[in-house]
């Protein structure tokens, strides 16, 4: 992969400058845009009018149909009963039809409004067959057809749009319904469009002249990550459109767009499987809450809903494992030991507890033990767990039925006020017989004590912590161990999840990934990371990740991303020189030459602080966002006291500003990017010559897009001495 030359980039600018008002191609394309934009506005107005009048028509029709339905069919002739049932069926069909039309219209209106911001960003001219004329295909963030169902704009996720992302003029191909179609790409044109105005267009033939990409990269940092739909590069597109496989592992250098690619992949999957896949079936694991805020606009900007987003802490808490050590450093051998010893596990009374709800004991320990003993012959595991929980549900129901005959509880039920009666029974009640009173009391108790069944389902009757401690001969149980044992006992991971995306996978331990692989055993995984950004000891290597998912999911496909779209060539050279790469790997930046990194060692504390304050003062008035990235939270606390008040400290749950100067730890900076990065503690003490320090410094430097300043108080880290 070669670096772009300045002459190539300058030629791109010259091409853009030639697009003047007397350019016949520009005039032709503007006329086409005017036509498309007018059609989009017409479709918008028609949909808005249709939805408005459709609601009124639906209300009228439903009132008329409802009037034809007899409210009471008791004592009515059979034929009239059948007519009433037919009328109800018709009413239900009409309601379904209105709902379907409404949903279809709302979705189409959403796509139109998205396209009115930028109707399309590219055009390809394709010759589908030698004996047929070439046709133009315009590609946008969403698809739209005219009144005769002819495509006006093709969704970027449509198979034919792959010809644009292949970046190959001449013979190219795309895959549709599992079949490869070969076509001739005669023209690949990019557009910079704002609503109904073409700002510029570019005819591109090779990836290095991707003018939209280069223009986008010249912009300053945004407080929110932007979608890269118009600028997806070929190596990125291979990940976005990769075939659906059980596990896909993406190893990409810093700044190669891994997070953007992951989000585009989610959008692609939601489009391709729109009839069967819901955003709630997609789970995304990110490094921290700052990252979650950073990406939360990307999918909505493409017209898709966000998936469920977690940190590891969030996941543990939602699974009921909160309040424990998170288990990030738990030895994976402990999980293997739990699995190996489970077949020999025997539960005793001390491993069980009462089932309680609202301070009412519904089942005592002995009753729970009786259910456990009843099915002990099956051995502790998913079948045993299912049988015991079913039995406990029956016992809880029988207990509630017995309680319903208690006179004090009956009196309490009869004393409910009108609002409470309506809440529990849907109406006011006045039982006339003892059996009616018992039935109502039981109905009331079943609702009031419904949480008891939830307690049974979540294994509140089993002291998992105690069991795990005995199995591991340990005094405490981590969240990872607790979750894994529960999965072994119940077999109840998330069966509905379809896809799990793990960003910054190099920061996960093998133990964490073992839990996720078992919890989401039916889901397909996309894991993205950079093995050189593993900034904590003990995290899983890419080899371990491959071996684990080959074992749990059958196979692992791999992709590499080797081009930096974030950093200037100077910054890319600096951070890539900090770590060793495979011989076949040559990293590249697509940017033109920028500002050389500033690396400076200061002799004492006063000189260091003076230089650091001078640097942040200058950054305060510069464009974009500057981040002072300290090695750890302790350094952040100390620097906060030394720096001016305008420097904003970013904590775990905060969003990034659009501009200014922020102070944050390396841990929180992971996955983010900034116009200017200041590393204030690049001393030999903080960054000694160790593999971990190399990865940490690589990560810190690679957060920078345009400028990096590296300062040290005293001796400079030996990792940078040659670059000083």
């Amino acid at each position: 992969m070669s670096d772009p030359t300045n002459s190539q980039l300058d030629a791109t600018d010259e091409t853009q400058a030639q697009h003047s008002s007397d350019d016949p191609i520009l005039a032709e394309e503007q006329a086409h845009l005017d036509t498309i934009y007018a059609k989009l506005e017409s479709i918008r107005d028609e949909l808005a009018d249709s939805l408005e009048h459709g609601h009124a028509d639906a209300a009228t029709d439903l009132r008329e149909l409802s009037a034809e339905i007899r409210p009471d069919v008791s004592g009515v002739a059979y034929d009239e009963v059948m007519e009433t049932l037919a009328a109800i069926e018709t009413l239900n069909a009409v309601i379904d039809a209105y709902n379907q039309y409404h949903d279809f219209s709302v979705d189409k209106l959403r796509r139109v409004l998205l396209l009115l911001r930028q109707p399309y960003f590219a055009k390809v001219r394709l010759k589908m067959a030698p004996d047929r004329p070439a046709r133009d295909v315009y590609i946008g963030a969403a698809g739209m057809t005219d009144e005769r169902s002819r495509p006006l704009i093709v969704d970027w996720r449509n198979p034919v749009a792959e010809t644009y992302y292949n970046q190959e003029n001449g013979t190219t191909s795309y895959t549709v319904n599992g079949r490869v179609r070969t076509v001739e790409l005669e023209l690949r044109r990019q557009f910079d469009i704002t609503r109904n105005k073409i700002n510029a267009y570019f005819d591109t033939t090779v990836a290095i002249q991707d003018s939209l990409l280069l223009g986008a990269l010249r912009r300053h940092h945004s407080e929110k990550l932007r979608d890269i739909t118009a600028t997806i590069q070929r190596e990125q597109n291979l990940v976005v459109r990769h075939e659906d496989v059980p596990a896909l592992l993406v190893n990409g250098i810093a700044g190669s767009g891994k997070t953007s690619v992951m989000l585009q992949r989610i959008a692609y999957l939601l489009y391709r499987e729109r009839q069967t896949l819901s955003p709630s079936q997609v789970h995304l694991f990110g490094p921290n809450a700052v990252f979650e805020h950073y990406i939360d606009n990307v999918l909505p900007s493409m017209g898709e809903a966000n998936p469920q987003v977690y940190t590891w802490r969030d996941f543990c808490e939602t699974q009921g494992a909160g309040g424990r050590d998170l288990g990030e450093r738990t030895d994976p051998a402990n999980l293997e030991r739990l699995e190996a010893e489970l077949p020999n596990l025997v539960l005793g009374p001390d491993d069980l507890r009462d089932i309680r709800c609202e301070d009412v004991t519904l089942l005592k320990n002995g009753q729970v033990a009786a259910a456990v003993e009843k099915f002990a012959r099956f051995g502790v595991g998913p079948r045993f767990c299912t049988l015991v929980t079913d039995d406990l549900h029956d016992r809880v129901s029988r207990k509630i039925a017995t309680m319903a005959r208690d006179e004090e509880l009956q009196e309490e039920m009869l004393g409910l006020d009108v609002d409470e009666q309506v809440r529990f029974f849907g109406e006011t009640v006045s039982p006339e017989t003892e059996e009616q009173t018992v039935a109502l009391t039981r109905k009331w108790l079943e609702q009031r004590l419904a949480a008891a069944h939830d307690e049974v389902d979540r294994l509140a009757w089993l002291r998992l912590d105690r069991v795990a401690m005995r199995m591991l001969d340990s005094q405490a149980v981590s969240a990872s161990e607790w979750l894994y044992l529960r999965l072994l006992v119940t077999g109840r991971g998330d069966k509905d999840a379809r896809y799990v995306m793990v960003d910054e996978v190099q920061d996960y331990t093998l133990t964490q990934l073992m839990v996720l692989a078992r919890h989401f055993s039916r889901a397909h995984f996309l894991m993205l990371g950079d093995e050189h950004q593993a900034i904590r000891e003990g995290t899983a290597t890419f080899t371990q990740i491959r071996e684990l998912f080959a074992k749990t999911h059958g196979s692992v496909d791999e992709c590499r991303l080797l081009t930096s779209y974030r950093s200037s060539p100077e910054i890319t050279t600096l951070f890539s020189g900090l770590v060793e790469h495979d011989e076949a790997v040559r990293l590249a930046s697509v940017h033109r030459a920028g500002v050389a990194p500033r690396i400076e060692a200061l002799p004492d504390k006063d000189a260091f602080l003076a230089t650091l304050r001078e640097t942040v003062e200058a950054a305060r008035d510069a464009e974009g966002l500057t981040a002072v990235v300290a090695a750890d939270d302790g350094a952040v606390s100390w620097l906060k006291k030394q720096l001016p008040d305008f420097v904003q400290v970013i904590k775990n749950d905060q969003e990034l500003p659009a501009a200014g100067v922020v102070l944050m730890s390396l841990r929180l900076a992971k996955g983010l990017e900034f116009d200017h990065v200041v590393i204030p503690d690049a001393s030999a003490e903080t960054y000694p010559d160790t593999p971990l320090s190399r990865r940490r410094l690589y990560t810190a430097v690679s957060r920078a897009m345009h400028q990096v300043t590296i300062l040290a108080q005293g001796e400079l880290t030996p990792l940078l001495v040659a670059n000083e």
Side-chain angles (χ1 to χ4, degrees):
M1 184 177 295
S2 61
D3 294 329
T5 65
N6 287 340
S7 60
Q8 286 175 309
L9 299 171
D10 292 341
T12 300
D13 284 347
E14 184 178 345
T15 302
Q16 179 177 357
Q18 290 173 352
H19 297 158
S20 59
S21 58
D22 58 354
D23 181 346
I25 295 178
L26 179 60
E28 179 184 346
E29 292 290 4
Q30 183 63 59
H32 178 80
L33 176 60
D34 291 340
T35 300
I36 295 296
Y37 205 82
K39 288 183 178 179
L40 291 174
E41 289 182 315
S42 176
I43 294 171
R44 176 199 61 194
D45 295 342
E46 289 175 6
L47 285 169
D49 183 70
S50 175
L51 284 168
E52 182 180 352
H53 288 86
H55 283 304
D57 293 342
T60 300
D61 289 348
L62 294 177
R63 278 196 300 270
E64 292 175 353
L65 286 169
S66 299
E68 299 174 7
I69 297 175
R70 291 176 177 270
D72 183 7
V73 294
S74 58
V76 176
Y78 176 79
D79 289 346
E80 294 184 15
V81 171
M82 296 307 295
E83 287 180 8
T84 298
L85 293 176
I88 293 173
E89 189 70 24
T90 300
L91 178 61
N92 289 335
V94 170
I95 291 172
D96 288 341
Y98 274 125
N99 287 339
Q100 290 176 11
Y101 174 76
H102 175 271
D103 292 345
F104 171 80
S105 298
V106 168
D107 179 67
K108 189 172 182 180
L109 181 58
R110 174 189 60 76
R111 286 184 283 122
V112 170
L113 294 175
L114 179 64
L115 291 173
L116 283 171
R117 298 204 301 261
Q118 183 191 46
Y120 45 83
F121 55 81
K123 163 185 169 178
V124 289
R125 183 168 294 155
L126 299 174
K127 195 173 183 64
M128 299 294 188
D131 57 344
R132 292 167 58 187
R135 67 183 181 94
D136 291 341
V137 177
Y138 287 84
I139 302 169
M144 190 58 57
T145 57
D146 64 13
E147 65 280 357
R148 296 171 61 183
S149 297
R150 295 175 300 190
L152 298 173
I153 302 162
V154 169
D155 192 296
W156 69 274
R157 297 163 288 189
N158 189 292
V160 74
E162 189 173 354
T163 59
Y164 168 73
Y165 294 112
N166 284 343
Q167 299 180 333
E168 293 177 338
N169 277 26
T171 302
T172 187
S173 64
Y174 62 96
T175 303
V176 56
N177 296 328
R179 297 178 58 187
V180 177
R181 294 198 59 179
T182 301
V183 296
E184 288 293 315
L185 177 62
E186 296 185 352
L187 175 71
R188 181 176 181 270
R189 180 168 291 162
Q190 299 174 306
F191 298 99
D192 178 4
I193 294 175
T194 305
R195 296 193 176 275
N196 60 345
K197 182 179 184 299
I198 297 179
N199 303 313
Y201 73 88
F202 315 92
D203 288 348
T204 55
T205 56
V206 294
I208 208 62
Q209 292 173 340
D210 192 332
S211 304
L212 277 187
L213 171 66
L214 297 172
L217 294 178
R218 290 191 195 103
R219 301 185 188 120
H220 287 283
H221 156 88
S222 168
E223 70 275 17
K224 297 288 187 181
L225 185 66
R226 296 173 174 142
D227 79 84
I228 59 168
T229 303
T231 60
I232 296 171
Q233 299 303 289
R234 185 172 184 177
E235 66 174 9
Q236 297 172 326
N237 188 53
L238 293 175
V239 179
V240 173
R241 295 175 187 265
H242 197 285
E243 64 178 314
D244 194 6
V245 292
L248 178 59
L249 179 60
V250 179
N251 192 353
I253 70 164
S256 57
K258 296 182 292 296
T259 300
S260 293
V261 165
M262 174 186 67
L263 295 169
Q264 300 289 150
R265 171 73 171 172
I266 293 172
Y268 175 75
L269 291 170
L270 290 171
Y271 172 84
R272 192 187 67 178
E273 303 182 32
R274 56 192 175 277
Q275 301 300 326
T276 59
L277 179 63
S278 162
S280 65
Q281 295 174 295
V282 181
H283 300 258
L284 192 164
F285 284 81
N288 50 58
V290 177
F291 173 85
E292 183 177 341
H293 292 309
Y294 184 53
I295 67 170
D296 62 12
N297 281 347
V298 176
L299 285 166
S301 74
M302 291 188 277
E304 302 290 355
N306 277 321
Q308 301 192 58
V309 183
Y310 307 93
T311 61
W312 175 253
R313 179 181 296 276
D314 295 336
F315 174 72
C316 291
E317 290 177 351
T318 59
Q319 294 302 315
R324 298 172 174 82
D325 169 72
L326 292 179
E328 295 166 311
R329 300 184 183 278
T330 295
D331 189 338
N334 287 2
L335 305 193
E336 295 170 351
R337 182 175 174 184
L338 290 172
E339 192 164 3
E341 295 191 7
L342 187 69
N344 302 317
L345 176 64
V346 177
L347 298 177
D350 290 342
D351 297 324
L352 309 174
R353 60 163 63 94
D354 300 345
I355 296 296
R356 298 176 58 80
C357 183
E358 289 193 359
D359 295 327
V360 176
T361 300
L362 294 170
L363 297 180
K364 293 183 178 180
N365 181 291
Q367 294 169 291
V368 175
V372 168
E373 180 63 28
K374 183 177 178 181
F375 301 106
R377 66 186 183 279
F378 295 107
V380 178
R383 185 182 182 189
F384 163 84
C385 186
T386 299
L387 292 170
V388 172
T389 52
D390 286 347
D391 188 88
L392 292 176
H393 281 306
D394 289 341
R395 290 172 185 259
V396 168
S397 295
R398 291 198 300 270
K399 175 64 174 180
I400 290 174
T402 301
M403 291 170 64
R405 296 190 176 276
D406 184 280
E407 291 185 0
E408 289 187 13
L409 291 172
Q410 291 176 1
E411 288 295 327
E412 187 176 346
M413 182 277 295
L414 292 170
L416 295 174
D417 62 30
V418 171
D419 290 341
E420 291 174 320
Q421 289 182 40
V422 172
R423 179 162 66 90
F424 283 109
F425 309 118
E427 59 183 353
T428 57
V429 295
S430 180
E432 297 178 355
T433 66
E434 182 179 348
E435 285 309 305
Q436 288 177 350
T437 301
V438 170
L440 288 171
T441 304
R442 180 173 182 175
K443 186 174 183 179
W444 167 64
L445 287 171
E446 284 173 344
Q447 294 178 71
R448 177 180 151 187
L449 302 175
H453 290 287
D454 296 333
E455 293 288 286
V456 170
D457 281 332
R458 72 178 187 84
L459 266 62
W461 49 274
L462 179 59
R463 298 179 185 272
L464 273 177
D465 289 271
R466 181 185 180 87
V467 172
M469 285 189 288
R470 188 168 77 250
M471 294 175 74
L472 296 173
D473 192 22
S474 170
Q475 297 300 310
V477 176
S478 72
S480 297
E481 292 162 342
W482 188 90
L483 286 169
Y484 202 75
L485 179 58
R486 190 181 67 173
L487 287 166
L488 292 172
V489 170
T490 66
R492 289 189 208 152
D494 192 326
K495 306 301 184 186
D496 294 327
R498 295 273 306 281
Y499 295 98
V500 176
M501 313 292 177
V502 184
D503 203 7
E504 306 286 353
V505 70
Q506 76 284 340
D507 287 339
Y508 284 74
T509 63
L510 186 58
T511 296
Q512 290 173 296
L513 294 174
M514 287 173 67
V515 172
L516 294 182
R518 184 173 284 272
H519 183 81
F520 297 105
S521 60
R522 296 185 182 180
H524 285 188
F525 275 73
L526 171 62
M527 296 165 286
L528 309 96
D530 178 357
E531 55 192 338
H532 301 304
Q533 291 189 62
I535 63 172
R536 292 190 295 112
E537 291 284 13
T539 54
T541 66
F542 272 53
T543 298
Q544 290 175 317
I545 295 170
R546 283 191 293 268
E547 291 174 349
L548 170 63
F549 282 88
K551 178 181 177 182
T552 61
H553 283 66
S555 64
V556 180
D557 283 24
E558 291 189 67
C559 292
R560 300 294 298 270
L561 297 174
L562 304 176
T563 304
S564 173
Y565 303 101
R566 173 190 299 147
S567 305
S568 68
E570 294 83 356
I571 295 171
T572 302
T573 298
L574 178 60
F575 72 68
S576 64
L578 288 168
V579 292
E580 294 183 2
H581 300 278
D582 300 338
E583 286 187 12
V585 173
R586 179 165 179 255
L587 309 187
S589 167
V590 301
H591 290 265
R592 54 162 52 91
V595 179
R598 176 187 174 190
I599 304 174
E600 189 173 354
L602 288 308
D604 52 44
K605 177 180 176 182
D606 291 341
F608 164 74
L609 289 176
T611 302
L612 179 59
R613 289 165 183 158
E614 176 186 321
T615 301
V616 298
E617 286 285 357
R620 178 186 191 182
D621 300 323
E623 289 187 85
L625 182 63
T626 294
V628 180
V629 179
D632 52 41
D633 293 336
V636 169
S637 297
W638 184 79
L639 287 167
K640 178 184 177 182
K641 301 172 184 176
Q642 316 304 321
L643 293 175
D645 290 341
F646 66 79
V647 177
Q648 179 183 347
V649 178
I650 299 296
K651 297 180 181 178
N652 190 51
D653 57 349
Q654 287 182 281
E655 294 189 38
L656 293 174
V661 182
V662 297
L663 169 63
M664 63 197 312
S665 66
L666 177 58
R667 174 181 59 85
L668 289 184
K670 285 293 301 290
L672 307 179
E673 60 184 30
F674 308 92
D675 292 287
H676 181 188
V677 167
V678 179
I679 300 172
D681 45 10
S683 65
E685 181 181 357
T686 303
Y687 290 100
D689 189 358
T690 65
L692 179 61
S693 289
R694 284 183 176 275
R695 296 195 299 269
R696 289 172 61 80
L697 191 56
Y698 166 99
T699 304
V701 172
S702 63
R703 301 307 92 204
M705 298 166 62
H706 308 301
Q707 188 177 353
V708 63
T709 300
I710 302 175
L711 304 177
Q713 178 182 332
E715 183 184 355
L716 181 69
T717 169
L719 303 176
L720 293 174
V721 169
N723 296 285
E724 188 179 6

